[in-house]
Amino acid sequence: MDHFPTNWGRPRNDAYDAYGTYPIAQRPQNNPKDAFSAGVQHTQQPIVTGTSVLAIKYKDGIMMAADNLASYGSLARFKDIQRLHAVGNNTMIGAGGDMSDFQYIQNMLDELMIDEFTAQDGLALGPAEIHEYLSQVLYARRTKMNPLWNSILVGGFKDGQRFLAYVDLLGTTYSASTLATGYGSYIAQPLLRKAVEGREDVITEAEALEIIETSMRVLYYRDARSLNKFQVATITAEGAKISESKSLDTTWSFAEGIRGYGAQTQ
Amino acid sequence: MTSIGTGYDLSASTYSPDGRIFQVEYANKAVENSGTAIGLKVKDGVVLAVEKLVHSKLLVPEANRRIQTIDRHIGLATAGLLADGRHLSNRARDEASNYRETYNSAPPLKAVADRLGLYVQAYTLYSSVRPFGISTILGAVDKDGPSLFVVEPSGVFFGYNGAAVGKGRQLAKTELEKLNLAELSTREAVTEAARIIYLVHEDAKEKEFELEMSWIGTESGGVHVHVPKDLLQEAEAAAKAALENFE
Amino acid sequence: MTQRPQQHSFNPYTENGGTILAIAGADFSVIAGDTRQSEGYSIQTRYAPKVFRLTDKAVLAVNGFAADGNMFVKKVRQRLEWYRHAHSKDMPIRAIARLIQTMLYARRFFPYYVYNILGGIEEDGTGAVYSFDPVGSYEREACRAAGAAQSLVQPFLDNQIYFKNQTPAPGTSFPQHLPLNTVLSLVIDSFTGATERHIEVGDSLEMYVVLAKESPSIQALQNISGIQEKTSTADGERIFVIRRDLKKD
């Protein structure tokens, strides 16, 4: 007898997802217990997710961007989520992947910054230290087979030095003058490289914004998990700043002319 | 004190027949021997100031600080045993951090003072421990504005507009009462605090001392930091000048 | 039967491409690697070093899963520092080799997914190369290639260094060790070749050269452009690094 009413009259096997929902809805299990699987359970898939984060080096520092969408599978679930987060005055992080894991990371770093501040030793963590710390945390978690499911960009400006690096759920790290996570690494990264590589020291803030906005527009056209509402952050000698949410003009009239797939009858 | 030789003063877990706990009273003596610490709650902030008695010329200036930062917006000054002060400030940091973790918001000073009061009071209950030999002034600007508390060795804590603990507390309190604290700006309070510390030290007049001052207010960006060097020197100069006029 | 909705388990590994190699000479050792880091068809960065100076006489190249590689180098360096604190000298290379085997085997059931090649100078002043598999099996060799283009580079090295499939001219024999300038040319050719034929190899090349004390091979480094010395103490072994561009496509 199945004692869970939610299961009554429903298929015994939910592994087949007839309606293509994602993640697959879980109902209470009333099957014989598997003694081994009853142990510690860890995150094996992200649930509420953010998509790409972009970042480039330019003359005065680093510019980053991320849209305001947190998706639940293919559902655009939360449309006013901030995916950029300042850590102190010299560092900005931006994350794709699981948003609850990202919020956990934000709290962890905020607590770390307070711990460092209360020491009152005149030292402050800069972008390089925060990136190293994050890398160690994410690598330690993957090693415990309990990952924090994110791809994170760390941008910073301290002591006249720009900093830009990546870290992900596996603990993989790297640094380059343009970086993009998720879908952006396929769509935006080539555009960013073409616009930035070799010109890091001459690109002005206005030019950097143009490059970032062009890439965000292309991503909005091509990435089905993106939103035309995003924020841009700059990290310069003036500190770490995040803009208000903004959107870009887009054109969709061409869609009318497309033939060969979709709903048209001729 | 009538406690000597009676045997009722050997443990914090033993009352005297008239209902006192002598160990707690001895702890208060430890506070009374210490350099004065004061706190001013004013219009737009809080100022903490400490008369740090320097027992050796060999000490590095600014070493052995008696004012600690507990959270971004909370400061703590102690009078009494220096090591006890550092222990309690570490505890206060843990409590503030725990509050943040639980409620995801900056701890109000009252919550931290409450938890510290409970902690200090626990050290008055057992024969295996001694009470804290410190009085603690807590200052903050939280969501309800500036606030100021004092935690005593017994574990009781009270909120104040102006607070003074340590050797020169009586004179300091008299001086604080003369001030219109509610109308003072934080910057003005820095000058007043410096003057009071210099004034109460005059009476003791035996040792060298160093003035240590911190503030929390709009001028410090709502964050607890030591008063900038130039302002500290300015306040010290004003305090010395005021002292000469005083006499 | 227990049925559970799809539970694809988390894969803690990835493969970050690139290639490394090392060649031992009579009194020197060359350790090299490209600097491209990739995942799938994406280049993550054009500059992520895979070759690391450990001491004045030992250099370690790591290749495979980059996060494991970086962590492994960090832990080896920590052990070498502890050794310095305890014994007031650098650990000899044969001891480093055994240390690496122990550290790798300690993770036999959750391995560092990394191929290691250790190069440097032995206590007797000879050039040495040690190569490892991910779980610590190791041996001393004269040359070794590892990583994405191992299958392209190793046969070339076998032919050019061990003279495999060659027969000496009548009355002559093959040399036991090659001179430094020949070795450097072989390394550059290996990587330009691998860059040409393997998509995960390219961007730039870093070659570390470790010379034995007062090695005459220093002559070969005299006219090399952009060479940089990495030695920390005088009158001992010397370390140099030579950087060259590779194709970025």
Side-chain angles (χ1 to χ4, degrees):
Chain A
M1 163 78 189
D2 190 335
H3 298 281
F4 294 104
T6 43
N7 290 338
W8 296 348
R10 306 193 63 183
R12 288 203 177 83
N13 185 359
D14 263 355
Y16 172 63
D17 185 15
Y19 301 97
T21 61
Y22 171 88
I24 294 170
Q26 307 254 340
R27 283 190 283 121
Q29 296 286 322
N30 198 28
N31 301 316
K33 283 265 157 55
D34 172 356
F36 291 100
S37 69
V40 185
Q41 297 279 304
H42 297 307
T43 309
Q44 302 293 351
Q45 59 170 356
I47 306 296
V48 175
T49 58
T51 182
S52 324
V53 185
L54 310 183
I56 59 172
K57 279 188 185 169
Y58 71 102
K59 188 161 67 74
D60 310 320
I62 304 292
M63 186 175 284
M64 301 173 72
D67 70 21
N68 293 110
L69 180 64
S71 305
Y72 181 69
S74 59
L75 175 70
R77 181 65 181 81
F78 302 104
K79 299 167 99 167
D80 191 22
I81 290 292
Q82 190 172 108
R83 299 196 289 121
L84 296 168
H85 179 70
V87 184
N89 292 325
N90 308 310
T91 312
M92 184 77 64
I93 62 171
D98 192 279
M99 286 296 104
S100 66
D101 282 352
F102 180 51
Q103 286 171 2
Y104 168 80
I105 287 168
Q106 289 175 43
N107 287 326
M108 182 183 71
L109 291 177
D110 287 351
E111 189 185 324
L112 176 71
M113 293 308 277
I114 291 171
D115 280 358
E116 292 294 318
F117 175 75
T118 57
Q120 292 280 294
D121 52 8
L123 303 173
L125 298 186
E129 290 81 16
I130 295 200
H131 176 259
E132 180 67 19
Y133 184 89
L134 262 181
S135 309
Q136 298 298 319
V137 170
L138 267 63
Y139 181 81
R141 287 289 294 262
R142 86 96 215 187
T143 304
K144 290 176 191 156
M145 292 298 276
N146 184 197
L148 291 167
W149 212 289
N150 297 105
S151 299
I152 300 173
L153 299 188
V154 181
F157 191 92
K158 198 182 177 194
D159 305 328
Q161 289 284 107
R162 290 171 297 193
F163 180 91
L164 182 55
Y166 167 99
V167 58
D168 67 15
L169 70 167
L170 292 175
T172 306
T173 55
Y174 50 89
S175 182
S177 56
T178 70
L179 289 177
T181 72
Y183 213 68
S185 69
Y186 304 114
I187 298 286
Q189 180 72 309
L191 303 171
L192 297 176
R193 282 189 183 150
K194 195 171 177 185
V196 175
E197 271 186 3
R199 301 185 57 238
E200 295 87 348
D201 299 330
V202 297
I203 296 173
T204 62
E205 184 154 329
E207 213 179 329
L209 185 62
E210 172 120 9
I211 294 166
I212 286 284
E213 287 188 344
T214 305
S215 303
M216 288 304 281
R217 182 184 284 110
V218 174
L219 275 174
Y220 177 58
Y221 277 128
R222 290 292 177 183
D223 180 0
R225 303 284 172 271
S226 69
L227 189 69
N228 189 12
K229 181 182 172 195
F230 64 95
Q231 286 167 293
V232 176
T234 53
I235 312 95
T236 62
E238 268 71 63
K241 297 192 182 79
I242 305 176
S243 77
E244 290 297 305
S245 293
K246 54 170 128 185
S247 60
L248 296 166
D249 295 331
T250 50
T251 319
W252 295 95
S253 53
F254 65 88
E256 298 294 322
I258 293 175
R259 288 291 176 273
Y261 59 91
Q264 310 90 345
T265 49
Q266 51 169 207
Chain B
M1 211 168 269
T2 55
S3 55
I4 318 283
T6 59
Y8 296 115
D9 66 343
L10 298 176
S11 160
S13 66
T14 305
Y15 281 109
S16 77
D18 47 352
R20 294 154 62 185
I21 297 163
F22 289 119
Q23 279 295 321
V24 172
E25 293 181 22
Y26 296 162
N28 278 305
K29 291 281 173 205
V31 179
E32 283 168 30
N33 290 331
S34 153
T36 316
I38 60 172
L40 289 78
K41 186 183 94 171
V42 294
K43 191 172 59 188
D44 59 348
V46 173
V47 173
L48 300 177
V50 159
E51 170 207 16
K52 193 171 76 193
L53 298 173
V54 182
H55 63 271
S56 164
K57 285 185 191 300
L58 298 176
L59 278 172
V60 177
E62 290 177 26
N64 304 317
R65 295 204 136 155
R66 278 173 56 196
I67 300 179
Q68 312 279 348
T69 303
I70 300 311
D71 199 326
R72 273 192 227 285
H73 62 298
I74 303 178
L76 174 153
T78 55
L81 306 178
L82 196 76
D84 284 19
R86 311 204 90 180
H87 176 80
L88 202 69
S89 63
N90 280 328
R91 178 69 188 199
R93 283 176 193 140
D94 289 349
E95 295 292 357
S97 159
N98 173 266
Y99 186 98
R100 272 198 129 89
E101 203 180 307
T102 313
Y103 302 108
N104 193 207
S105 59
L109 187 60
K110 195 165 78 170
V112 176
D114 188 19
R115 292 183 182 198
L116 274 193
L118 287 174
Y119 184 69
V120 169
Q121 191 272 154
Y123 281 74
T124 67
L125 295 172
Y126 306 98
S127 57
S128 54
V129 295
R130 67 170 171 78
F132 285 96
I134 47 169
S135 276
T136 308
I137 304 178
L138 286 156
V141 177
D142 56 29
K143 67 180 197 321
D144 303 316
S147 74
L148 188 70
F149 285 90
V150 173
V151 184
E152 292 173 16
S154 63
V156 297
F157 68 100
F158 295 110
Y160 290 92
N161 290 312
V165 293
K167 196 177 295 187
R169 69 191 177 289
Q170 287 306 347
L171 181 51
K173 280 179 187 169
T174 321
E175 287 299 312
L176 285 169
E177 282 168 13
K178 292 181 196 164
L179 299 172
N180 185 192
L181 290 164
E183 296 301 315
L184 231 49
S185 75
T186 314
R187 191 168 274 269
E188 288 164 340
V190 166
T191 321
E192 294 299 338
R195 186 183 59 78
I196 294 172
I197 291 294
Y198 268 86
L199 179 73
V200 300
H201 181 75
E202 278 287 292
D203 282 350
K205 214 171 206 168
E206 81 283 54
K207 277 178 193 153
E208 289 281 300
F209 86 104
E210 200 179 287
L211 174 64
E212 191 185 340
M213 267 201 298
S214 72
W215 63 354
I216 316 141
T218 34
E219 283 200 74
S220 73
V223 151
H224 177 257
V225 284
H226 278 82
V227 168
K229 276 234 169 69
D230 52 343
L231 180 58
L232 182 73
Q233 280 161 1
E234 200 180 295
E236 277 188 299
K240 283 174 192 164
L243 265 190
E244 273 163 30
N245 297 335
F246 192 77
E247 277 155 7
Chain C
M1 187 180 67
T2 310
Q3 286 166 346
R4 286 184 162 275
Q6 56 166 65
Q7 203 156 59
H8 60 108
S9 65
F10 168 64
N11 176 197
Y13 294 113
T14 189
E15 171 77 61
N16 297 110
T19 275
I20 51 170
L21 73 79
I23 300 169
D27 60 352
F28 66 86
S29 185
V30 177
I31 306 92
D34 68 329
T35 66
R36 174 175 292 183
Q37 192 179 107
S38 59
E39 190 172 15
Y41 290 134
S42 302
I43 296 172
Q44 295 181 320
T45 178
R46 300 191 191 281
Y47 186 71
K50 283 192 278 290
V51 189
F52 302 91
R53 194 196 77 100
L54 296 179
T55 67
D56 270 354
K57 48 185 174 247
V59 170
L60 182 62
V62 291
N63 194 222
F65 172 32
D68 269 355
N70 291 329
M71 179 54 74
F72 189 70
V73 169
K74 194 179 178 125
K75 298 221 160 182
V76 170
R77 281 184 162 157
Q78 188 175 51
R79 293 290 292 265
L80 294 179
E81 187 175 333
W82 291 347
Y83 183 96
R84 261 193 306 276
H85 292 323
H87 300 104
S88 304
K89 66 170 185 131
D90 282 332
M91 191 186 281
I93 194 167
R94 64 185 168 82
I96 299 176
R98 173 55 73 88
L99 173 72
I100 288 173
Q101 104 86 205
T102 312
M103 291 174 68
L104 289 171
Y105 195 79
R107 288 278 296 268
R108 174 60 181 80
F109 299 109
F110 186 12
Y112 287 108
Y113 185 42
V114 172
Y115 286 89
N116 282 281
I117 301 178
L118 175 69
I121 302 298
E122 212 65 79
E123 279 176 309
D124 64 6
T126 59
V129 164
Y130 291 88
S131 69
F132 302 78
D133 81 352
V135 289
S137 172
Y138 79 114
E139 61 177 329
R140 187 178 166 184
E141 299 177 286
C143 79
R144 170 61 67 186
Q150 181 190 37
S151 57
L152 280 69
V153 176
Q154 189 66 52
F156 173 69
L157 259 29
D158 289 344
N159 180 252
Q160 292 295 307
I161 296 194
Y162 292 122
F163 299 102
K164 291 285 170 63
N165 300 102
Q166 296 191 62
T167 32
T172 67
S173 65
F174 291 127
Q176 271 302 109
H177 290 289
L178 295 172
L180 180 52
N181 54 9
T182 312
V183 167
L184 288 174
S185 299
L186 284 173
V187 171
I188 293 171
D189 288 352
S190 297
F191 277 93
T192 40
T195 302
E196 211 52 60
R197 288 289 185 173
H198 199 118
I199 58 167
E200 292 173 6
V201 181
D203 291 330
S204 62
L205 168 63
E206 272 185 343
M207 293 176 286
Y208 279 73
V209 181
V210 193
L211 296 182
K213 272 178 208 170
E214 289 142 26
S215 162
S217 297
I218 188 80
Q219 297 298 333
L221 300 177
Q222 230 68 67
N223 295 313
I224 290 183
S225 64
I227 190 167
Q228 195 187 340
E229 182 152 10
K230 292 266 185 181
T231 318
S232 69
T233 55
D235 64 86
E237 291 80 2
R238 298 175 75 179
I239 295 191
F240 299 86
V241 61
I242 304 165
R243 296 194 171 85
R244 289 289 176 268
D245 280 348
L246 293 173
K247 285 169 77 175
K248 295 182 192 302
D249 57 5

